[in-house]
Amino acid sequence: MHFYKKNKYVFTRVLLLPIIQFLRIIYQNYFLATIMNSEKIEYYMQVALAHAKKAHAIDEVPVGAIIVKDNKIIAGAHNQLIHNSDPTGHAEIIAIREAARIIGNYRLVGCDMFVTLEPCLMCLGAIFNARINSLFFGTYDKKTGACESVLSLASNKFINHHCTVQGGVLERETKALLQKFFKEKRQKKPLSANSGFYK
């Protein structure tokens, strides 16, 4: 204690100051660089929405997803369940497969996903297994949403991996596209009450 009081100035300048400067550099160059602002989040969701419109064009439920790494879009997809006769053909699954192929790794560490509809149980499980960093989704799915609408897996403490989740990004636009699709479906052929389709 006597040594510290006598050499307080030296202790502060020689030991603490370099540590503080190092932490400041890490904060500025890493944390600030990885934080997305709202404009960028909305831009990426617009791109995902464009993929959803591709699904609409081929009479699939209009859901689109993209995956971003280092501020670059590395994968994008839309629903293709009917088109490919594939019950796993959700936009999220297809985008994950494409991103993994491009990266050459089944772990998508440092990647973020943007999808127009809250992921279902299958897709959120794939997102967790891929080790995706952050998930942004558009409208909430009151039928099968696994983030918080029906299930709350994103906050389940028993799951060994989680990603940060933000819902409601461009909710009005993403919801409107789905409503338009199912309105067109109902006009052609009324949906049964237990169809499970988004209304």
Side-chain angles (χ1 to χ4, degrees):
M1 184 62 70
H2 176 73
F3 173 81
Y4 172 72
K5 289 181 178 179
K6 187 176 180 180
N7 298 278
K8 184 177 180 181
Y9 176 79
V10 175
F11 179 82
T12 304
R13 295 285 298 181
V14 175
L15 295 177
L16 289 183
L17 191 59
I19 294 173
I20 294 171
Q21 290 175 337
F22 174 76
L23 292 175
R24 184 183 292 121
I25 291 171
I26 293 297
Y27 176 75
Q28 291 174 341
N29 294 337
Y30 179 73
F31 290 104
L32 290 183
T34 58
I35 295 173
M36 288 192 182
N37 59 40
S38 59
E39 289 184 2
K40 187 172 289 186
I41 290 171
E42 289 185 0
Y43 165 75
Y44 286 135
M45 189 59 71
Q46 287 285 2
V47 177
L49 191 58
H51 281 279
K53 291 176 180 177
K54 294 179 182 178
H56 191 191
I58 59 173
D59 207 30
E60 294 268 7
V61 176
V63 177
I66 65 168
I67 293 177
V68 176
K69 182 177 177 62
D70 298 329
N71 294 316
K72 294 181 181 179
I73 299 172
I74 63 170
H78 56 274
N79 272 9
Q80 297 184 56
L81 291 85
I82 300 170
H83 188 72
N84 291 338
S85 299
D86 180 6
T88 68
H90 289 195
E92 300 97 310
I93 301 295
I94 299 173
I96 287 173
R97 288 172 178 162
E98 182 183 346
R101 179 182 59 81
I102 291 172
I103 291 176
N105 196 322
Y106 74 109
R107 297 297 199 198
L108 303 182
V109 177
C111 292
D112 302 313
M113 174 176 281
F114 296 79
V115 58
T116 56
L117 179 65
E118 180 182 1
C120 67
L121 177 62
M122 174 185 70
C123 292
L124 190 59
I127 289 167
F128 287 166
N129 284 332
R131 298 298 190 263
I132 284 175
N133 183 53
S134 299
L135 168 67
F136 301 88
F137 68 84
T139 191
Y140 293 83
D141 188 346
K142 303 300 182 183
K143 298 285 186 180
T144 62
C147 294
E148 57 182 281
S149 294
V150 178
L151 299 172
S152 298
L153 293 184
S155 58
N156 189 314
K157 64 180 180 180
F158 296 107
I159 297 175
N160 70 335
H161 173 76
H162 294 85
C163 63
T164 59
V165 178
Q166 179 180 334
V169 180
L170 296 185
E171 184 176 10
R172 184 176 63 181
E173 294 89 333
T174 53
K175 184 176 182 179
L177 181 62
L178 285 159
Q179 289 177 329
K180 177 183 178 183
F181 174 81
F182 288 113
K183 182 179 180 180
E184 293 170 354
K185 286 290 185 183
R186 284 192 294 271
Q187 289 174 346
K188 293 178 182 178
K189 184 179 179 180
L191 295 173
S192 63
N194 61 350
S195 64
F197 281 133
Y198 188 99
K199 294 183 179 181

